[in-house]
Amino acid sequence: AIAPGVDDSRPMSFPPPFPPYAMPPPGMPPPRAPMGPPLGVPFPPAPIRPLRPLRPPAPATAAAPVAAKTTAMFVGNISEAVSDALVRELLATCGTVVSWKRAEAAQGKQAAFGFCNYSNPESVLRALRLLNGRRVADRELTVKADAKTREQLEGYVQGKLKALGLPMPANTPVEQVTDEFTDADDDKARPRIDELCGKVAKGSTAAAAVAVLAGSSGSSGSSSSS
């Protein structure tokens, strides 16, 4: 039977569409009900969930202060012929100098000793090796570290050796425990130290010669006046 409302007068090249109430042929699933509301009916609005209050950020906690490692050194037996600037240059050949303070003697003159701080332990060790006992002008420098600095130097060297799997040598001053890298840095510093000490020696010799000439001219003038 032909469904009402279907025009069968035209030649059919394909089967006519089934009306909504017609049943599909056997083997075909029944039409599904349309999803959502009918056409023209808006979807109901989605429920608005209340926003959660933002948790305030945790207050920043101050980092625990790290104890600064001291690199204090005593530099003594400095000749009067050696300027403060030249002592600093000598110390700088061993590493970065954070501070250098030469003590003052009576009448505003510079004393024969002072105190130096380096930026790292390697510089302290190098200064102990290369500058202690070094002759500058007419005196030999005395370079040494205090007990606290020496204790930290020992811990530093022990840590280096432990990382390399090596034991700490017995009966050896900590500054004499070296490796190929520290030896290479020492070799770079020695020429500059020799150069600075040579300048001081030349200046001392020239000053001594001037003093001798001044003394001889004064004695000759006094003898001629007599």
Side-chain angles (χ1 to χ4, degrees), residues 13-190:
S13 59
F14 53 88
F18 292 99
Y21 53 84
M23 297 299 295
M28 293 184 65
R32 295 181 179 181
M35 302 296 293
L39 294 176
V41 179
F43 280 89
I48 300 177
R49 302 176 64 179
L51 297 177
R52 294 181 179 179
L54 296 178
R55 183 175 299 177
T61 56
V66 179
K69 293 187 176 181
T70 177
T71 56
M73 289 180 48
F74 171 83
V75 183
N77 203 29
I78 305 173
S79 173
E80 295 181 357
V82 179
S83 66
D84 185 55
L86 192 136
V87 176
R88 189 182 182 94
E89 283 191 72
L90 280 172
L91 294 170
T93 59
C94 299
T96 302
V97 176
V98 177
S99 64
W100 158 246
K101 178 64 176 178
R102 189 169 179 175
E104 291 185 0
Q107 299 178 355
K109 294 184 179 180
Q110 292 180 331
F113 67 94
F115 299 92
C116 174
N117 274 280
Y118 281 104
S119 63
N120 57 76
E122 286 291 351
S123 301
V124 182
L125 295 169
R126 184 167 301 109
L128 292 172
R129 285 193 301 269
L130 303 184
L131 297 182
N132 185 39
R134 178 72 190 221
R135 189 170 188 83
V136 182
D138 56 340
R139 295 185 183 182
E140 293 182 355
L141 290 180
T142 299
V143 180
K144 58 183 179 181
D146 58 14
K148 186 176 181 180
T149 301
R150 185 165 286 276
E151 180 182 354
Q152 293 183 356
L153 292 176
E154 290 177 357
Y156 170 76
V157 173
Q158 287 177 357
K160 285 180 58 179
L161 295 177
K162 184 177 180 181
L164 297 174
L166 300 175
M168 185 75 177
N171 302 323
T172 303
V174 64
E175 64 268 18
Q176 299 301 331
V177 181
T178 61
D179 53 37
E180 58 179 337
F181 301 104
T182 54
D183 290 340
D185 291 336
D186 288 356
D187 291 339
K188 293 178 182 178
R190 285 191 181 96

